Amino acid sequence: MRKVYQLFLLVIAAGLFHTETSAQITPPTDQGNPASIDVNLENIFNQKAPRKYKVANVIVTGNQFFDAALLTSIANMNIGDEIIIPGGDNFSKAISNLWKQNYFSNVEIYITKVEGTNIYLEIAVTERPRLSTFTFKGISKSQADDLTPKVGLVRGRIITENNRRSAIEAIEKYFAEKGYRGVKTEIQEVKDAKVDNSVTMTLLVTKGNKVKISDIYFTGNTVPSTRLEKKMKGTKEMTRLTVHPPADSAGVLSGNSLTFKDYLRHTGFLSFTQTKELLDPYVRLKLSSAKYDEKKYAEDKDKILDYYNSLGYRDAAIVSDTQYYNSKGNLNINIKVKEGSKYYFGNIAWRGNTKYSDSVLANILGIQKGDVYDLEILNKKLGKIMSPEGGDISGLYMDDGYLFFQAEAVETAVYNDTIDHEIRVREGPQATLRNIRIAGNDKTKEHVIRRELRTIPGEKFRRSDIIRSTRELAQLNFFNQEKINPGVVPNADDGTVDINWTVEEKSSDQLELSAGWGGGIGLTGTLGVTFNNFSINNIFRKTAWQPLPTGDGQKLSVRFQSNGKAFRSYNVSFTEPWLGGKKRNSFTVSLYDTKYRNGIYDYYNQRYTYTDGDSYIQTSGVGISLGKQLKWPDDYFSLVTSLNYTRYVLKDYAIFQGFSNGVSNNFNIKVALQRSSVDQPIFPRTGSSFLLSGQFTPPYSLIDKSKVSSANPYEFVEYHKWRFNGEWYVPIGKPSGAERNKQFVLKTAVKYGYIGRYNDKLEISPFERFQVGDAGLSNNFALLGYDIIAHRGYPVYETSNPKINPDQQGASRFFTMFNKYTMELRYPLSLNPSSTIFGLAFFEAANGWYSIKDYNPFKLRRSVGLGMRFYLPMFGLLGFDYGIGLDRYTPGGGLKDAARFTFMLGFEPE
């Protein structure tokens, strides 16, 4: 019978492990006949002198899921190892190594036999149970679905105490964010009879009632409580009607917020009717979820102190805050504030500045003696707090190479309510750019990125060059704008700086694909592709087609559209943004051809029939443009000149009065001056964009007088056309933390257009006019040359009277001039490059006119509404707007008749 004696490791194991899971001293599993026990084995730990033994064999018992060889390797207990008994630490280390894996509830080592200096060992382990399944009780299915990935429990994995604690903490955090306090979670584990050494877990959740914040009270404050409450963005009182009255005779109500009940009790009035006329101007509806979130509450207390500091109360402190439940079970919060004295800036002295004089630095600092003390403003002006608008002292130095510049504001005197400062400047040496490295460009070639950078080796470091380079890379739309990082690495020893640019590629190509059958015309469909990072140089290299040659920053667009025999269209365009590769001179060429035929509908067979004699209109054109970046007034300006030719062929197709057969030619030159400083193309936050363009045809009728009385007055189209577009983007609020890139952005835009004639004896050209209204998608199959001006909340309209808005999709007449004004408040929901999503609220006003005599910039159609935008890499823009035409609204019709849902795909309409 096998004789097994447990190894004596009480002293070591007791210090290392919990009593429940340590190697315990217990009687051998099989004592056998005491008379047959090997004396050497019994006395192995009673030897007076330590003795070396060689491990002859190691076996592992109790393991169900783990390989024995793996466990002996982890224990570092291998055949041939030498062990000293007594006095060696091999056994304690082996137990420690296995225990650290967190896979076992008990680890023991046995000596099973000793033969001379050879020793035989058994490692006995007890594996922790594994999780078979887990379920939630006491919560809804949707809540359970939300919690499943959060609790960190995985079926088939070993269950540890840490797993249990983490699951409970995740549940409590989840419900705390939803306003529940005192959530209790009990874990029940039952052995799974179907799976060896496995348990099923049930998490019993007791949520209790959702706690809402009833009232927030401030004491010790002279700053109005309403102002302090506004700073608490994440901690709000319950929704209620409140009164913000003027000061009463005693002046005690001024600036305070009261419920109706409190106000009536204070003023002595007995009923709402008696005070309605008095209260109407001061009633406010306070809307909020009133959830209590411990984390947000702590942040809000810091915001209160920051607000106090901005008012000059630099010693302000929250002495205490008390939370208690009222009779309805909702939470009241009492915040006791100690404001301290209000301070002001005193004298400001400068020390250590040699590059710029005191007066220059003081002018940029912009703080005068007697201004309210505000540490945040001081740090922002010194450049310690980065500001996107710039204008700080650190930026002044860093734009001249002083990367190692430092400025420290030191309080030199505090007297009464005034604080004097000395600003100690350490300019340091001017830093020179050394190495400019680029990483992360898996698809885009390095020269495409380098030509956009303003950081050139050997030149002085300038912070403005870093900011501008970041913008230029974002404008390419090849990279995730949120992940463009300059990686500035200063080398103070030699006065140089390395810039390690890192980018993250994103897909910018677009695919348009649709197909259908019906309408009595057969198969219809659209196939369009746009490659925004194309490489025409590698088009003949077989290895570059993966699946297409890319990386040179060129743009290739191909689109085919068919509507059976009724309509077909081809469009091809190519753009080289850096013609010649040395300067930002863009070159674009485009070709298109479109034809539309009028068929005859066969009601018997329910289909259209087409013959060679059908009436049709065919539009063909070609355009070539050359753009040049300007240096004056600044290098945000560019000038684009384009030559365009469009040919219209008509057969029995009356598009304009007196013109249904023949050919019309439109040859024009267009000159566009534009300036764009927006920070990124998809969701701009800052910057502006302007465009002023003039489009001119030759004045044929002035050169040849006979053109006025020609049988076909449109054989050679003549006009001069002017456009102006302006857009501004302004961020609102101060985002922070993980949400630093998510903030409201206000977009304002103005658009003007006018088309005129050279000869008063001719009508203004029917081509190149302006269609105003709807979503901006209708252009008669792109057959007629006119600009589409969207106006949400209205159908396409033909009159200048804002009250006349028939419900129509197209127009037979087009305006010769228009105005449009837009305001949008945008908020990003997702800035992920794979799906950029933002919502918006808009106000829009626009109108069109047929002559300057009728022009009235204040006679506009107005609309308001909400919208969503989705930018998907392969499909471009997908947008929805719900607009209400304010001038379509009639008291009897309601909002339904004034509202209009619009949809956009592929591009943002004008």
Side-chain angles (χ1 to χ4, degrees):
M1 182 179 292
R2 182 169 69 97
K3 302 174 180 60
V4 182
Y5 289 86
Q6 184 175 12
L7 182 66
F8 183 75
L9 292 172
L10 175 62
V11 177
I12 299 173
L16 290 174
F17 313 114
H18 191 278
T19 56
E20 181 182 346
T21 57
S22 63
Q24 302 173 7
I25 300 180
T26 59
T29 56
D30 183 9
Q31 295 290 346
N33 184 357
S36 64
I37 295 177
D38 188 338
V39 176
N40 292 333
L41 187 58
E42 277 189 329
N43 299 324
I44 192 170
F45 291 100
N46 298 324
Q47 300 174 102
K48 295 182 179 180
R51 185 178 181 184
K52 287 184 180 181
Y53 293 89
K54 181 181 288 187
V55 177
N57 189 32
V58 181
I59 63 172
V60 179
T61 59
N63 55 313
Q64 293 179 298
F65 295 94
F66 295 99
D67 182 68
L70 174 64
L71 296 184
T72 56
S73 175
I74 293 173
N76 196 22
M77 190 71 67
N78 302 301
I79 295 175
D81 290 351
E82 288 188 346
I83 297 175
I84 298 175
I85 299 177
D89 62 354
N90 304 73
F91 297 123
S92 62
K93 286 183 177 180
I95 292 176
S96 178
N97 289 341
L98 290 170
W99 181 252
K100 285 189 296 186
Q101 306 306 312
N102 214 15
Y103 294 147
F104 309 106
S105 60
N106 193 27
V107 179
E108 296 175 327
I109 298 179
Y110 297 95
I111 299 174
T112 59
K113 186 168 60 173
V114 176
E115 292 179 349
T117 61
N118 292 327
I119 190 169
Y120 295 78
L121 303 177
E122 175 186 337
I123 301 176
V125 296
T126 303
E127 294 184 3
R128 294 181 186 272
R130 293 175 178 263
L131 180 64
S132 176
T133 60
F134 68 94
T135 57
F136 296 91
K137 283 190 177 181
I139 59 177
S140 67
K141 184 180 182 301
S142 62
Q143 291 171 338
D145 291 341
D146 290 342
L147 280 170
T148 297
K150 296 178 183 294
V151 293
L153 298 174
V154 180
R155 293 175 177 86
R157 288 190 182 176
I158 287 174
I159 304 173
T160 65
E161 192 60 34
N162 185 53
N163 296 142
R164 299 182 182 95
R165 285 196 302 268
S166 297
I168 293 174
E169 289 172 1
I171 294 170
E172 291 177 351
K173 180 182 178 182
Y174 174 80
F175 284 106
E177 291 174 352
K178 293 184 175 295
Y180 293 90
R181 299 189 75 191
V183 179
K184 295 182 179 179
T185 303
E186 180 184 349
I187 295 179
Q188 294 181 350
E189 296 178 7
V190 178
K191 187 175 181 180
D192 191 340
K194 298 179 180 179
V195 183
D196 290 342
N197 198 28
S198 295
V199 297
T200 60
M201 179 183 293
T202 303
L203 296 104
L204 301 173
V205 182
T206 305
K207 297 186 299 184
N209 296 322
K210 183 179 287 189
V211 176
K212 291 189 175 182
I213 301 172
S214 176
D215 293 286
I216 301 175
Y217 299 103
F218 289 91
T219 58
N221 57 305
T222 59
V223 176
S225 299
T226 51
R227 293 188 190 177
L228 300 179
E229 284 184 37
K230 286 181 180 179
K231 299 302 174 182
M232 303 178 73
K233 303 298 183 182
T235 310
K236 299 291 185 181
E237 294 179 342
M238 295 171 61
T239 298
R240 59 163 65 96
L241 285 171
T242 60
V243 182
H244 295 255
D248 62 358
S249 57
V252 297
L253 292 180
S254 179
N256 291 320
S257 172
L258 299 88
T259 63
F260 277 110
K261 182 178 179 181
D262 291 338
Y263 185 82
L264 294 175
R265 183 173 64 249
H266 183 86
T267 55
F269 291 100
L270 299 177
S271 68
F272 172 76
T273 304
Q274 291 177 290
T275 58
K276 182 179 184 302
E277 184 176 347
L278 175 64
L279 295 179
D280 274 346
Y282 312 111
V283 173
R284 301 287 187 272
L285 177 60
K286 183 185 291 185
L287 296 171
S288 73
S289 63
K291 291 191 304 183
Y292 178 80
D293 187 314
E294 189 74 36
K295 182 179 178 181
K296 291 182 179 179
Y297 176 58
E299 293 173 353
D300 285 340
K301 288 192 291 184
D302 291 336
K303 290 176 182 177
I304 291 173
L305 296 180
D306 291 341
Y307 179 61
Y308 266 112
N309 291 338
S310 70
L311 299 178
Y313 297 94
R314 71 162 190 169
D315 300 328
I318 294 177
V319 179
S320 63
D321 62 298
T322 307
Q323 303 168 23
Y324 60 93
Y325 295 98
N326 60 18
S327 58
K328 296 182 179 180
N330 293 314
L331 192 67
N332 287 345
I333 299 176
N334 286 345
I335 300 176
K336 185 177 181 181
V337 177
K338 183 179 180 181
E339 294 180 337
S341 301
K342 187 172 185 177
Y343 291 89
Y344 300 86
F345 283 107
N347 297 314
I348 299 178
W350 298 86
R351 176 182 292 183
N353 51 306
T354 59
K355 176 69 177 178
Y356 299 102
S357 64
D358 292 0
S359 58
V360 171
L361 297 181
N363 186 52
I364 296 174
L365 188 67
I367 297 176
Q368 305 296 326
K369 185 177 181 179
D371 288 351
V372 173
Y373 177 82
D374 187 341
L375 183 59
E376 182 180 353
I377 291 294
L378 178 60
N379 287 332
K380 184 179 292 187
K381 287 295 185 178
L382 289 177
K384 291 180 174 295
I385 300 176
M386 294 297 292
S387 175
E389 55 268 15
D392 55 84
I393 291 174
S394 177
L396 176 70
Y397 273 93
M398 287 192 178
D399 279 344
D400 199 20
Y402 291 91
L403 174 62
F404 308 102
F405 166 84
Q406 291 182 352
E408 200 72 36
V410 179
E411 294 181 2
T412 55
V414 179
Y415 49 95
N416 298 326
D417 60 354
T418 303
I419 304 175
D420 290 345
H421 286 84
E422 180 180 82
I423 300 179
R424 298 171 184 175
V425 175
R426 189 170 66 183
E427 295 175 341
Q430 287 180 297
T432 303
L433 296 176
R434 186 174 63 177
N435 298 315
I436 309 298
R437 303 182 182 91
I438 300 170
N441 53 318
D442 302 325
K443 183 171 66 173
T444 305
K445 295 181 180 178
E446 187 165 310
H447 77 272
V448 174
I449 299 175
R450 287 195 178 274
R451 69 191 185 189
E452 302 291 342
L453 299 179
R454 303 299 177 94
T455 52
I456 310 299
E459 295 189 355
K460 292 180 182 178
F461 172 87
R462 296 181 187 275
R463 189 176 71 170
S464 58
D465 288 341
I466 298 289
I467 296 172
R468 183 65 183 274
S469 297
T470 303
R471 175 197 175 271
E472 298 300 335
L473 292 178
Q475 289 294 319
L476 291 175
N477 204 24
F478 302 157
F479 311 112
N480 180 356
Q481 292 94 336
E482 310 302 324
K483 297 294 180 66
I484 299 173
N485 182 16
V488 179
V489 182
N491 308 299
D493 295 338
D494 57 4
T496 62
V497 58
D498 294 340
I499 310 294
N500 298 324
W501 289 97
T502 56
V503 296
E504 181 183 287
E505 297 267 10
K506 72 172 186 177
S507 175
S508 58
D509 299 331
Q510 296 177 7
L511 172 67
E512 184 180 0
L513 181 64
S514 65
W517 180 275
I521 57 176
L523 181 66
T524 65
T526 300
L527 174 61
V529 290
T530 300
F531 306 106
N532 289 303
N533 194 2
F534 192 68
S535 175
I536 199 170
N537 298 327
N538 295 326
I539 197 169
F540 297 111
R541 290 180 56 190
K542 184 177 179 180
T543 57
W545 288 75
Q546 296 179 357
L548 287 167
T550 60
D552 278 334
Q554 298 156 345
K555 181 178 180 180
L556 175 65
S557 179
V558 180
R559 188 174 187 270
F560 169 74
Q561 186 177 5
S562 173
N563 201 12
K565 294 182 179 180
F567 170 77
R568 59 111 182 103
S569 176
Y570 309 93
N571 295 271
V572 179
S573 67
F574 172 78
T575 299
E576 167 57 75
W578 284 70
L579 185 63
K582 295 183 179 180
K583 294 184 179 180
R584 197 190 298 269
N585 297 328
S586 63
F587 172 77
T588 301
V589 59
S590 61
L591 300 167
Y592 58 91
D593 182 76
T594 303
K595 186 174 182 179
Y596 176 78
R597 296 199 299 175
N598 280 328
I600 299 174
Y601 189 72
D602 184 346
Y603 287 94
Y604 181 78
N605 294 311
Q606 295 186 346
R607 62 187 300 269
Y608 282 93
T609 60
Y610 298 91
T611 65
D612 293 338
D614 293 336
S615 61
Y616 69 85
I617 176 173
Q618 183 173 359
T619 304
S620 306
V622 60
I624 299 175
S625 67
L626 183 65
K628 178 179 177 61
Q629 184 180 25
L630 304 180
K631 298 296 183 182
W632 186 89
D634 60 41
D635 59 4
Y636 287 110
F637 278 89
S638 62
L639 184 68
V640 181
T641 304
S642 58
L643 291 174
N644 306 287
Y645 172 71
T646 305
R647 177 182 174 87
Y648 303 93
V649 180
L650 285 76
K651 178 184 177 183
D652 298 327
Y653 195 97
I655 55 173
F656 306 121
Q657 186 176 358
F659 182 44
S660 59
N661 282 283
V663 177
S664 182
N665 300 280
N666 182 358
F667 180 81
N668 64 78
I669 183 171
K670 182 177 180 180
V671 181
L673 178 67
Q674 56 191 40
R675 183 185 189 276
S676 177
S677 62
V678 296
D679 60 336
Q680 53 182 270
I682 294 181
F683 186 76
R685 299 185 187 89
T686 62
S688 60
S689 176
F690 301 95
L691 181 143
L692 175 64
S693 67
Q695 190 173 343
F696 313 94
T697 65
Y700 301 107
S701 64
L702 298 181
I703 299 172
D704 184 357
K705 303 295 184 182
S706 64
K707 296 291 183 183
V708 177
S709 56
S710 173
N712 180 7
Y714 306 118
E715 181 180 2
F716 292 96
V717 180
E718 63 176 69
Y719 59 86
H720 55 91
K721 181 178 178 180
W722 304 87
R723 288 292 306 271
F724 174 78
N725 293 351
E727 296 179 347
W728 296 263
Y729 298 90
V730 180
I732 298 176
K734 297 180 179 180
S736 61
E739 301 295 308
R740 63 184 182 278
N741 291 323
K742 289 190 176 183
Q743 64 183 127
F744 285 100
V745 175
L746 178 65
K747 173 191 174 183
T748 56
V750 296
K751 301 181 188 297
Y752 300 96
Y754 172 76
I755 183 171
R757 55 189 173 182
Y758 299 113
N759 196 324
D760 292 339
K761 297 180 180 179
L762 286 176
E763 292 291 331
I764 296 177
S765 168
F767 298 97
E768 300 294 336
R769 292 193 179 195
F770 309 102
Q771 174 189 286
V772 187
D774 205 40
L777 296 177
S778 173
N779 192 0
N780 291 350
F781 299 101
L783 293 163
L784 305 180
Y786 56 80
D787 294 357
I788 303 172
I789 311 301
H791 190 179
R792 293 165 286 191
Y794 288 89
V796 175
Y797 45 86
E798 300 179 3
T799 69
S800 301
N801 188 340
K803 298 299 181 183
I804 301 177
N805 301 290
D807 197 355
Q808 58 187 21
Q809 297 296 323
S812 58
R813 300 174 64 204
F814 306 106
F815 296 112
T816 61
M817 57 191 310
F818 81 94
N819 285 167
K820 181 181 176 182
Y821 308 94
T822 302
M823 291 183 64
E824 287 185 358
L825 186 62
R826 301 175 165 190
Y827 185 79
L829 303 175
S830 170
L831 294 174
N832 192 308
S834 63
S835 59
T836 301
I837 305 171
F838 63 89
L840 59 89
F842 67 86
F843 170 79
E844 211 160 59
N847 208 353
W849 298 268
Y850 292 101
S851 67
I852 295 179
K853 294 180 181 178
D854 299 330
Y855 176 69
N856 184 346
F858 303 105
K859 191 177 182 180
L860 303 170
R861 289 173 166 89
R862 301 157 300 164
S863 64
V864 296
L866 302 172
M868 291 288 293
R869 298 290 184 271
F870 305 84
Y871 281 92
L872 307 176
M874 286 297 292
F875 302 100
L877 169 72
L878 179 64
F880 305 92
D881 287 311
Y882 183 79
I884 299 173
L886 300 180
D887 293 286
R888 297 178 66 201
Y889 175 77
T890 56
L895 289 178
K896 183 178 179 181
D897 295 335
R900 192 174 184 87
F901 182 82
T902 54
F903 169 80
M904 59 201 69
L905 178 66
F907 67 97
E908 184 86 41
E910 288 198 66

